[in-house]
Amino acid sequence: MVDILHRVGVRTSGPEKVYEALTTVEGLTGWWTVDTRWADGPQGRGDAGTGGVLEFRFPVGGFDMEVVESRPSERVCWRVVDGPEEWKGTTIDWDLHQNGEYTIVLFRHQGWKEPVEFMHHCSTKWGSFLMSLKSLVETGAGAPAPRDVQISDWH
């Protein structure tokens, strides 16, 4: 198994705003994709509670993520339950900690079966979306899909 790993520092006084951007529909639509919603239950619920499934849609496809863990201002973990075959069963982890003026985001997209070309594409896209997250928290404006940096088609 192989993983995508990134580390980003977000200038903020504490991890609360980063956590909010990772756990609310409003936050997620501000940096990842504007087409984000709960699969069932209350649409726009305030936070991504454990066991809930979030649907993320993009112009070329999408993913459904089950929230596996959510510890306020510390950690968020999703399991991919639907999407491209390469993503199914993988996990996406966000660990947060404060270091001076920055919240450090340690990002892992774990459990890829092999480092296929699509994984390389996704690693680059995750990097650009992490910069969108940083921008959202620091300036109030991210670059979610479909306004994100276009690097190529998915495959």
Side-chain angles (χ1 to χ4, degrees), residues 10 124 127:
V10 180
T124 302

Side-chain angles (χ1 to χ4, degrees), residues 8 10 17-36 54 56-58 65 76 78 87 92-94 96 105 107 125-149:
V8 175
V10 180
K17 286 185 179 180
V18 176
Y19 181 80
E20 182 179 319
L22 296 172
T23 59
T24 65
V25 169
E26 179 182 5
L28 292 161
T29 60
W31 68 268
W32 199 20
T33 179
V34 297
D35 191 355
T36 298
L54 286 159
F56 300 98
R57 298 297 178 261
F58 297 82
M65 311 282 189
V76 176
W78 301 328
W87 279 50
I92 298 168
D93 295 290
W94 315 81
L96 312 175
V105 179
F107 170 89
K125 288 303 292 187
W126 274 124
S128 71
F129 283 121
L130 286 166
M131 296 311 295
S132 176
L133 170 65
K134 175 182 174 67
S135 180
L136 175 68
V137 173
E138 291 180 355
T139 72
R147 299 186 311 271
D148 57 312
V149 174

